[in-house]
Structure formats: structure tokens, C-alpha cells
Amino acid sequence: MNYLVVGSGLFGAVFAHELAEHGNNVKIIEKRDHIAGNIYTKVVDGIQVHQYGAHIFHTSNKEVWDYVHQFANFNRFTNSPIANYKGKMYNLPFNMNTFSEMWGVKTPQEAMAKINEQRQEMAGKKPQNLEEQAISLIGRDIYEKLIKGYTEKQWGRKATELPAFIIKRLPVRLVYDNNYFNDDYQGIPIGGYTKMIENMLDHPNIEIELNTDFFDKKDEYLKSYEKVVYTGMIDKFFDYKLGELEYRSLKFETEEKDVNNYQGNAVINYTDAETPYTRVIEHKHFEFGKSDYKDKTIVTREYPADWKRGDEPYYPINNYRNNQLYKEYKKLAEKENDKVIFGGRLGQYKYYNMDQVIAAARKSVQIVLRKNNEKN
Ligand code: FAD
Ligand code: UDP
């Protein structure tokens, strides 16, 4: 069959690879001038630069971990970001190092006693929003210094207006362990994410056309391909006819510096409300084990920004209003099911990590391949 895949991000690339491997012809169109979507990395001064923000691959899904190893080897980078709150440094995620820095406690028992005392504020109440969730998880001191400012900058909304689930992503530990993730597997592809996507797409049945927007010829594309896999914004596909879903955008400010080591860590979060950026990343530190540090480094500051039509929609805002609206769009999408498959962070309007995108793409493509088999 002849397929059109709209978008060469991780979802589109996995989907295209699997289709091609099963004998289908795949044309990919991508509106940017490069493949790989938001996981795109490019080499500058010998350093892999994460063009659209820090990307650390982590998963507990062994099938996904094995799957990506067909396309890349991974280094053993472990994400351990540091928070800078008004000049004082704290370890993340919330663990014994953080509790010790915050309260001077030394043992898990002392830390637990302090946390329990702070949580009292929420005793007997079910958290209704991110602020309440954070306080009931970890107490007000940490909420005020390490969560509130960062979260309100990141999402452009009060923490009381945000869904609780966002903060549940972060682990809380009573051990001295700064690993940001609880997952079994973690690392960064050696040679960069772009190379990994190139390897997925390196197939005689796959043709890629860059700088091409689906909406320039939507009707023609829908007519000329048997099936379309669409990884752009779902509301845009339907011409926003039920209203706009909300997104959060970002601006990246990247600078080369003539020093060997600028901040001593890959990621430093600025958790106060006044600093306009949320985090500063120093790209060379993602390349764990690479020791040829010259007097050159590249840093990127990440500024959260409101989204309006035409901006890059980096994050879906999965609050109640948007999730309800998405459900309505999903109903429209289901009606197109025989022709169009919606996938990825924007097509499914989900705050997906990379491993979840891969799992979702594999599941979705398996259904399509099974249906094709049944037809033949
Ligand atoms: P995308 O990467 O957005 O790909 C969609 C592609 O479709 C894009 O290339 C886009 O240009 C193209 N497209 C859209 N519309 C059209 C159109 N009309 N015509 C043609 N092409 C179109 N995940 C992790 O697991 N670990 C992390 O550390 C992590 N960090 C992140 C940091 C940031 C700042 C962000 C924003 C995300 C992060 N993620 C992380 C999530 C990760 O980026 C996503 O899960 C993944 O990239 C989603 O892949 P996708 O294919 O769904 O979307
Ligand atoms: N967060 C925070 N302080 C931090 C880091 C994260 O309050 O120093 C909150 C913030 O609300 C953020 C959420 O935790 O949106 C999830 O953080 P994560 O690092 O997973 O965000 P992502 O990498 O997806 O932007």
C-alpha cells in the first residue's frame, strides 16, 4: 500500500519504519528543514546540541529499550539536574540530598518527620490541583522553593489552576540518590538522536520530503494516498472547528562560550519566579564519557512562552477543559479511521515521553498491519 506519513518525529519515524519493513511504500512529508521532530540534535563544535531542549531517553519498557537498540547504542548518562533557587543549589529530584540541603536533616527518619509535619496542611483533603498535590506529596517548603516558581513559569498559569498529574512525574525518595528517573533503563543515543532517526528511515521503501507542509495540499494528499499517518496538531487537522486546544510554547536561546565547563552539569533548573527562563542546559555534559573537552561549550536557556497559531506547540496542556475538547476531536478522528491515523504528542494531544511515543506508534502500526493482512 502507499502511505503518507505527516511528520518525521519519533512517532512518524517508527511508524514509517515498520510500514516499510512490511513491504509498504512510504512517503514522509516534514514541514521543518530536518527530520527527527523535537528530538533533533545537531553537531556544533563537535558537541551534540539538543536543538529543542534536553532529551534524555528513559524507560522501564524492555521491549521499547530493545527496539531502539536496533537504531542506536546508548551512553550511560543519568539525569541529575540541580535546582538553583535564588543562588542556593539543591539536588533534584526530591531526595535525601534535597532534604538535607533544605532542612539540615541527616537521616530518612528525620526527613520523614519533617515532611509529615509539613504535609499536615493537607491532612484529610484530596488534592484538587498541582499546588495541593505538591504540598500533600512533599510539603510547603519544597513547594515554595523548588516547584511553585518553576511550574508557574513553565505553564503560564497558577499552580492552583493546573492538573495534579504533572507533578506526579517527579520521584520523591528517602535515599541519597539524584537520579531524576525511576526507570530501569536510561541513556542518550551515541552519535545523537538525529542519527537514530536517520537509521530508522534508511530504507528503500521510504522517501522523505522536507520543507513541505501537509496543509498546503491537504485535499490532494488525502486523495492520492491510501492511508495517511498524521502527527501534527489534531485541532488544526479539523481546521479548529470545535475550538482551539491550548499548547505551551518555548523559546530557546543558545550561546557558545569559550570555556571548558560552564555550569558543571547538563541541566540546571531556575526555580524562582523572577528568572525568566526555567532551565539552562550545557550540551556537552549529555555525552557522558566523552573526555575531549576543549575550551568551548554550548549552553541553551529555555524560556517558556504562550502559544498562538504559527508558534511551535511543544506541550499540550492537559487540563480538564482541553481534555474534554480533545475527546470531541478524537470522535471526529475516529470517523476518519479508515483513512487517517492520528499519532504522537500532537496528534493524540498527550504529554508523552519518547518511550511512550515508541510504544504507541508500534501498537498503532501493528493494528494497521494486521488489518491489511486480514484484507489480503
Ligand atoms: P514531534 O517530535 O513534535 O514530531 C512531529 C513532527 O511533525 C515535527 O517534525 C513537525 O514539524 C511535523 N509536522 C507537524 N505538523 C506538520 C504538517 N502540517 N506538515 C508536515 N509536518 C508537520 N521525552 C523524553 O522521553 N525524555 C525527555 O527528556 C524529554 N524532554 C523533552 C523536552 C522538551 C523541551 C520537550 C518539548 C519534549 C520532551 N520530551 C521528552 C518529549 C519528546 O520530545 C516527545 O515525546 C517526542 O519527541 C514526540 O514525538 P512526536 O513524533 O509525537 O512529535
Ligand atoms: N518541576 C518543578 N520544579 C523543577 C522541575 C520540575 O516544579 O525543578 C515540575 C514542573 O511543573 C514540571 C513538572 O514538574 O512541568 C514535570 O517536570 P519534568 O522535568 O518532567 O518536565 P519536562 O522535562 O517534561 O519539561
Side-chain angles (χ1 to χ4, degrees):
M1 277 176 77
N2 289 320
Y3 283 84
L4 178 74
V5 173
V6 180
S8 62
L10 194 52
F11 191 97
V14 169
F15 213 110
H17 176 84
E18 292 303 314
L19 288 175
E21 281 285 285
H22 288 83
N24 300 285
N25 290 322
V26 187
K27 166 83 174 268
I28 301 181
I29 54 169
E30 167 56 59
K31 69 175 179 183
R32 298 183 188 173
D33 63 1
H34 60 74
I35 58 165
N38 288 340
I39 66 174
Y40 176 69
T41 45
K42 102 171 169 209
V43 182
V44 181
D45 285 331
I47 299 166
Q48 290 284 350
V49 172
H50 296 218
Q51 185 99 341
Y52 302 97
H55 277 81
I56 300 105
F57 197 95
H58 57 98
T59 190
S60 289
N61 184 333
K62 182 154 189 322
E63 277 179 30
V64 167
W65 186 239
D66 291 343
Y67 183 79
V68 283
H69 276 78
Q70 293 176 68
F71 311 106
N73 288 319
F74 284 68
N75 69 15
R76 50 139 297 189
F77 178 81
T78 301
N79 195 26
S80 16
I82 310 268
N84 179 328
Y85 178 74
K86 302 191 174 183
K88 178 149 174 43
M89 312 303 264
Y90 295 92
N91 283 108
L92 294 171
F94 312 125
N95 74 84
M96 281 305 297
N97 288 309
T98 330
F99 307 141
S100 172
E101 288 147 0
M102 185 71 62
W103 299 310
V105 294
K106 294 186 185 64
T107 64
Q109 290 71 27
E110 287 168 13
M112 210 52 238
K114 193 78 193 166
I115 293 170
N116 281 338
E117 175 194 311
Q118 296 232 333
R119 277 176 175 160
Q120 276 313 306
E121 196 182 328
M122 279 298 296
K125 286 189 235 156
K126 191 169 178 288
Q128 299 297 333
N129 55 51
L130 194 149
E131 175 169 300
E132 292 181 3
Q133 178 66 54
I135 293 171
S136 73
L137 202 67
I138 202 71
R140 187 164 282 275
D141 284 353
I142 288 185
Y143 170 67
E144 297 282 351
K145 290 190 171 145
L146 302 182
I147 298 174
K148 187 173 192 292
Y150 186 100
T151 296
E152 294 187 344
K153 285 191 289 190
Q154 166 78 357
W155 296 101
R157 284 162 172 71
K158 297 234 162 303
T160 47
E161 290 159 18
L162 284 164
F165 86 91
I166 292 177
I167 201 70
K168 286 194 202 151
R169 288 166 62 91
L170 303 186
V172 175
R173 297 200 192 102
L174 288 167
V175 284
Y176 288 92
D177 176 0
N178 299 324
N179 182 350
Y180 199 57
F181 302 115
N182 277 334
D183 283 322
D184 295 343
Y185 312 104
Q186 182 172 180
I188 291 187
I190 297 165
Y193 286 97
T194 305
K195 184 76 203 145
M196 178 176 99
I197 298 289
E198 264 170 27
N199 290 341
M200 281 183 191
L201 300 180
D202 179 14
H203 196 287
N205 295 358
I206 299 180
E207 187 196 329
I208 307 168
E209 194 178 303
L210 298 175
N211 302 304
T212 305
D213 193 321
F214 174 70
F215 293 103
D216 290 344
K217 289 196 281 183
K218 180 180 171 192
D219 293 338
E220 199 181 313
Y221 287 129
L222 289 174
K223 264 195 222 114
S224 35
Y225 288 88
E226 288 162 271
K227 272 203 192 276
V228 174
V229 178
Y230 174 81
T231 72
M233 292 158 60
I234 186 166
D235 52 349
K236 186 167 183 187
F237 184 92
F238 293 107
D239 203 18
Y240 307 102
K241 70 176 170 198
L242 305 175
E244 262 179 22
L245 290 165
E246 293 171 297
Y247 302 87
R248 195 74 182 137
S249 197
L250 295 169
K251 300 271 179 287
F252 298 102
E253 199 177 85
T254 296
E255 236 185 295
E256 268 191 50
K257 296 202 177 273
D258 293 329
V259 291
N260 178 306
N261 183 0
Y262 174 71
Q263 63 178 16
N265 205 35
V267 184
I268 298 197
N269 292 357
Y270 287 77
T271 56
D272 63 298
E274 293 77 22
T275 307
Y277 41 88
T278 44
R279 48 191 170 191
V280 180
I281 63 178
E282 186 171 8
H283 300 267
K284 60 164 50 169
H285 295 307
F286 290 117
E287 290 177 83
F288 185 88
K290 226 181 138 184
S291 54
D292 57 340
Y293 287 176
K294 303 182 198 89
D295 280 344
K296 228 355 141 215
T297 195
I298 297 173
V299 295
T300 301
R301 281 179 286 277
E302 193 175 309
Y303 295 81
D306 287 334
W307 176 88
K308 56 179 182 339
R309 286 188 200 186
D311 296 338
E312 280 295 339
Y314 288 103
Y315 293 98
I317 301 179
N318 288 116
N319 59 18
Y320 181 76
R321 180 255 175 206
N322 291 325
N323 286 344
Q324 291 304 108
L325 183 54
Y326 169 67
K327 276 191 197 152
E328 296 307 311
Y329 275 115
K330 194 165 171 241
K331 284 184 199 154
L332 293 183
E334 277 159 6
K335 287 193 196 143
E336 309 274 335
N337 229 350
D338 282 341
K339 184 82 187 184
V340 188
I341 295 143
F342 292 80
R345 243 194 190 196
L346 303 174
Q348 290 174 283
Y349 197 69
K350 271 207 191 80
Y351 190 9
Y352 271 144
N353 283 323
M354 289 181 272
D355 61 327
Q356 295 168 311
V357 168
I358 293 171
R362 291 185 72 207
K363 194 170 159 199
S364 180
V365 75
Q366 273 155 16
I367 294 170
V368 169
L369 291 169
R370 199 179 328 117
K371 278 193 192 155
N372 286 354
N373 269 345
E374 283 163 9
K375 265 195 216 148
N376 294 334

